[in-house]
Amino acid sequence: MKRTGARSIKTAPFFVVARVEAILNDPILVVDGLTKRFGAHEAVSALSFEVPRGTIMGFLGPNGAGKSTTLKSIVGIHRPDAGQVTLFGGGLTRAALNRVGYLPEERGLYRKMRAVPSIAFFARLKGIPAGEARRRAARLLDENGLGDWKQRKIASLSKGMAQKVQILCAIAHEPDLVILDEPFSGLDPVNQADLERLIHGLVARGASVVFSTHVMQHAERLCRSIVLIARGRKVFDGTVEAALSQLGGEAVVEVEPGFDLAAALGARGVEASVGDREGVYRVRTEGREGIQRALAACVSAAAPLIRFEPVRPSLHDAFVQLVGDRATPVMRPAEAAE
Amino acid sequence: MNRIYLIARREYLSYVAAPGFWISLIAIPLLLVAAVMAPLVIGQAEPARAVAVISDDPALERVVSDAIDGGNLQAGQQPLPGDAMARYVVVPAPATTAEALTPWLVGERTVSTPQGELSLSAALFVTRTPDGGTDLQVWSTSLADREPVERAERALGDLMRAEALGRAGLSTAEIDRVDDLWPSVASFDPRRTGAEAEVQVADRAPFFVSVALSYLLFMLIFSVANMLLSSVIEEKQARILDTLMTSARLTEVLAGKLLGVAMVSLTLLTVWGVTAVTAARLGAGADPDGVVAGVFEALSDPVLIGMMAAYFLVGYLMYGAIFIGIGALCENLQEAQTLMGPVIVILMIPMLLILVAINTPDSEVVRTMAWVPLFAPFLGILRVPTEPPLLELLGPLVLAAATVPLALWVSAHLMRAGTVDQAAGAAMRRLLSFGRMGR
């Protein structure tokens, strides 16, 4: 009888398959009611969200919103005053933390160390054997365009290069969850694109990525889901599409000069304002589906249309609308660094 | 443990890679060699000096000449290294009055010597006084060179005493015997019996070792203070702590730093020690019953040296942990130096106690103060050779050892409060709250 090394999942008992599926469907990170205070100031208030396995989640918020405090609490640097963090279905054990890669917002490496030993050092702290850690460090530097700088001291690297090295320090142990605090800040557009590719590569390998950012374009390009916080409280948690759907519809409409589109649409219950030149109007509707009604109203009013251009909603607009006046909290100096 | 090792290793390598480490490493042996070699080199570099002895009394002239012309150098011979008197060569006086000798004394004329043509360094006029004494007049431009004068003075003094004793009826042999009279002193240890009871020089060696170790610990603590403070503050300023803390506990990070710096010190001490021991072994070979040989005998006693080493290590780690705590409280070296003031005052106390303990290691003050963890390492080392009761030997050591993790815990607590939580000013409040321990 031919022996097989491992049983195929198709032939595994039902309960095993069910358990494997349950594990795969379990969120990799659960933040439940997290609260963190600094003296009398509550930096994060009863924050809850989950990160599904194998996804990229954007953690967005204005300055001082509590993003870094939350991320530090997730990796155990801060101890929450209330609530809990569940990693890989368990607590913040050393074993769990060894499966996490973390890039802090405040960058720092040993300036006198060379690039390879720096990366290998942090990988070894996470349990990677010495030889393997050095091999990975060299390979990562090669793959990320820093092959010529492998044996250079960190002090001799540019700020952007040092930042890339620090990102590599965070991922050299091939973590299952990568937490990046403002990873794009300080990088030029080329390096930002490289980092986006790197993040996609991490997810392709099976890791989950959580990153905070102020730049909505990155979140829009990279994330399927986002969590938006302001003043330490969650204001949105869902997909990017869901965030965009919070916005009203908008279109730029151009008609032949002399036609009063605002009056024609106003009579049909659609708001239009005069644009920056004659014949150009901005039409706004409450929901994005309202744009269809606006187009129908234009047709109904026999407007001499030259152009009807729906404006693609951006996450930036959604961010501004969702955060609103909560974007300027009173900050303690310590949190201002965020 | 592996993480502590990795952090300690990184810390160690960062120091070893610095030029300052290598300068320190070779500076002490070089200074040691220089201290030994300098007199020889200086002696060899100095030219021979010609001295003339003028006297109407041939006996006086011979006594003074013999006292000065220690080298009896022949033509072409060089003075022996380190033999100061070998630099002086007595030459026949080219004239018999000071006035007539002036051209030779001021360098206008020279005399022939085995070392070549030399001007006169000094002219010594020795005469008998009417009362049977001697008179010495020195003519020289080398005002600071007193060596030949002192030699002549001693020789004339000895001669005058011998003549006086001879006049009193003593023979030359009796005078020599009187000169050799000296009391015989022997010390005994009542805890021993028989031939073993007599205290030899080697028996005192453990005390010399303990005093040396105590002072070495004192100096080492000062030298590592700066290293540890800089290391902790650099870590805070370079913002590396956040990254490290996802990989290791704060106490592990600090323990790693402490051990890393300890390994640096150990490396330095080992190299310096090997150099010193090699030099001392040569000395011990020349004097098998001397102090150096006794030191080696003391070092071969495992209990004695083990206890001293334990106290030394505990003292090093305890003060190191305290310096880390100070570093944790400070944002820069200036702040740290301000806080170091009280610590230096505290360190002065054992320094004073060491002075007391050297003479009276069993005094009530020393025995009591030895139980204070901050002073225990210094006083413990000094008390080990006195073979105190076991409780007094081990008790202070255990207490001081327990202070090390406590100091590290407090340091981690301060660091978490002051740096990680960025709650400047709240650090002490948090420390005093004795809340949950730093992860």
Side-chain angles (χ1 to χ4, degrees), chain A residues 77 79 94 108 110 126 334, chain B residues 235 238 246 416 422 430 439:
Chain A
I77 294 173
R79 287 190 300 263
R94 179 55 50 199
Y110 295 106
K126 294 284 192 180
Chain B
E235 203 104 312
T246 61
R416 175 176 284 282
Q422 299 185 350
R430 181 155 183 167
R439 188 183 61 78

Side-chain angles (χ1 to χ4, degrees), chain A:
Chain A
M1 187 176 166
K2 189 179 176 183
R3 295 181 66 186
T4 54
R7 185 183 285 191
S8 161
I9 195 155
K10 288 179 182 172
T11 59
F14 168 74
F15 63 90
V16 173
V17 174
R19 181 67 194 131
V20 169
E21 283 180 348
I23 289 171
L24 290 174
N25 289 330
D26 278 348
I28 204 161
L29 166 68
V30 179
V31 175
D32 182 19
L34 179 75
T35 298
K36 177 66 189 172
R37 297 184 198 92
F38 295 103
H41 174 73
E42 197 163 82
V44 180
S45 303
L47 183 64
S48 300
F49 63 89
E50 294 180 354
V51 177
R53 197 173 292 270
T55 60
I56 306 173
M57 200 202 80
F59 195 56
L60 315 178
N63 290 331
K67 301 187 297 294
S68 292
T69 302
T70 304
L71 296 182
K72 284 181 179 181
S73 300
I74 291 170
V75 295
I77 294 173
H78 286 323
R79 287 190 300 263
D81 292 301
Q84 65 177 29
V85 175
T86 305
L87 270 176
F88 312 110
L92 287 183
T93 60
R94 179 55 50 199
L97 286 170
N98 277 353
R99 295 171 63 189
V100 178
Y102 171 65
L103 174 76
E105 185 197 18
E106 290 177 330
R107 320 275 190 251
L109 288 170
Y110 295 106
R111 291 173 54 78
K112 290 176 185 169
M113 274 182 99
R114 296 174 198 282
V116 167
S118 291
I119 297 169
F121 170 67
F122 286 105
R124 288 190 70 189
L125 280 177
K126 294 284 192 180
I128 305 299
E132 175 62 17
R134 290 188 72 84
R135 275 193 294 277
R136 281 190 198 180
R139 177 173 53 79
L140 282 169
L141 287 166
D142 283 333
E143 287 174 359
N144 288 279
L146 292 170
D148 293 338
W149 303 84
K150 276 189 276 197
Q151 294 307 327
R152 298 290 288 269
K153 286 185 178 174
I154 299 297
S156 69
L157 304 183
S158 70
K159 190 181 170 191
M161 284 176 176
Q163 186 162 332
K164 280 175 96 172
V165 170
Q166 187 158 10
I167 291 167
L168 300 181
C169 287
I171 63 168
H173 60 292
E174 298 184 350
D176 295 316
L177 173 63
V178 180
I179 294 173
L180 308 171
D181 198 352
E182 299 286 356
F184 295 99
S185 72
L187 292 180
D188 61 41
V190 174
N191 279 314
Q192 286 186 6
D194 285 347
L195 180 56
E196 285 190 16
R197 274 194 293 276
L198 183 75
I199 291 173
H200 280 303
L202 291 171
V203 176
R205 180 174 61 72
S208 306
V209 178
V210 176
F211 73 93
S212 69
T213 184
H214 294 109
V215 185
M216 295 302 124
Q217 289 89 333
H218 295 305
E220 213 167 338
R221 277 200 296 270
L222 286 166
C223 304
R224 198 169 69 82
S225 61
I226 58 168
V227 169
L228 180 56
I229 66 169
R231 294 193 184 184
R233 294 178 186 278
K234 186 169 75 178
V235 294
F236 180 80
D237 180 1
T239 62
V240 172
E241 277 306 308
L244 295 177
S245 70
Q246 306 267 321
L247 294 169
E250 185 177 355
V252 177
V253 183
E254 188 171 359
V255 294
E256 294 288 349
F259 183 81
D260 188 356
L261 184 68
L265 292 184
R268 289 166 176 79
V270 176
E271 182 195 341
S273 56
V274 178
D276 51 7
R277 60 190 167 91
E278 191 183 359
V280 175
Y281 295 83
R282 293 190 84 85
V283 175
R284 289 191 177 81
T285 62
E286 278 205 358
R288 289 176 68 189
E289 65 285 354
I291 292 297
Q292 300 301 323
R293 284 190 289 106
L295 179 60
C298 287
V299 173
S300 164
L305 287 173
I306 297 173
R307 176 165 65 116
F308 188 96
E309 186 182 323
V311 176
R312 189 177 182 279
S314 72
L315 199 54
H316 177 267
D317 299 326
F319 177 88
V320 172
Q321 180 170 313
L322 287 165
V323 172
D325 61 0
R326 285 173 291 201
T328 53
V330 178
M331 287 179 287
R332 294 167 66 252
E335 272 71 62
E338 282 195 84

Side-chain angles (χ1 to χ4, degrees), chain B residues 181-388:
Chain B
L181 287 178
W182 200 255
S184 167
V185 179
S187 299
F188 295 92
D189 187 339
R191 291 170 297 188
R192 303 184 202 159
T193 54
E196 291 287 304
E198 187 168 354
V199 177
Q200 306 292 332
V201 175
D203 293 323
R204 296 195 186 92
F207 294 95
F208 302 144
V209 173
S210 69
V211 171
L213 267 183
S214 209
Y215 278 110
L216 182 65
L217 175 62
F218 191 79
M219 287 189 290
L220 205 62
I221 284 171
F222 269 103
S223 70
V224 298
N226 199 38
M227 288 163 81
L228 283 168
L229 285 176
S230 309
S231 170
V232 174
I233 289 168
E234 182 199 11
E235 203 104 312
K236 289 173 75 173
Q237 288 178 337
R239 315 278 186 193
I240 303 167
L241 213 54
D242 279 359
T243 312
L244 274 180
M245 282 182 64
T246 61
S247 306
R249 291 180 179 85
L250 204 43
T251 44
E252 290 175 328
V253 173
L254 299 184
K257 285 192 161 298
L258 187 56
L259 290 180
V261 174
M263 287 194 289
V264 174
S265 300
L266 188 65
T267 306
L268 292 172
L269 286 177
T270 303
V271 173
W272 297 344
V274 167
T275 310
V277 165
T278 306
R281 274 206 181 279
L282 298 173
D287 181 16
D289 298 324
V291 176
V292 177
V295 167
F296 282 112
E297 199 180 314
L299 291 175
S300 65
D301 181 342
V303 176
L304 185 79
I305 205 67
M307 285 306 296
M308 284 187 188
Y311 268 112
F312 190 90
L313 186 67
V314 164
Y316 182 92
L317 293 176
M318 182 178 65
Y319 275 96
I322 290 170
F323 292 133
I324 284 181
I326 291 172
L329 272 175
C330 304
E331 289 301 313
N332 52 52
L333 270 178
Q334 284 83 354
E335 277 184 32
Q337 278 156 2
T338 310
L339 270 178
M340 275 291 288
V343 178
I344 289 170
V345 171
I346 291 170
L347 271 170
M348 284 298 133
I349 298 171
M351 189 66 184
L352 297 172
L353 287 170
I354 286 172
L355 297 174
V356 177
I358 286 172
N359 290 322
T360 52
D362 287 329
S363 69
E364 201 60 41
V365 175
V366 173
R367 287 170 62 192
T368 307
M369 295 303 259
W371 284 92
V372 180
L374 285 174
F375 311 144
F378 304 100
L379 301 181
I381 289 172
L382 287 170
R383 295 203 68 214
V384 168
T386 66
E387 299 175 17

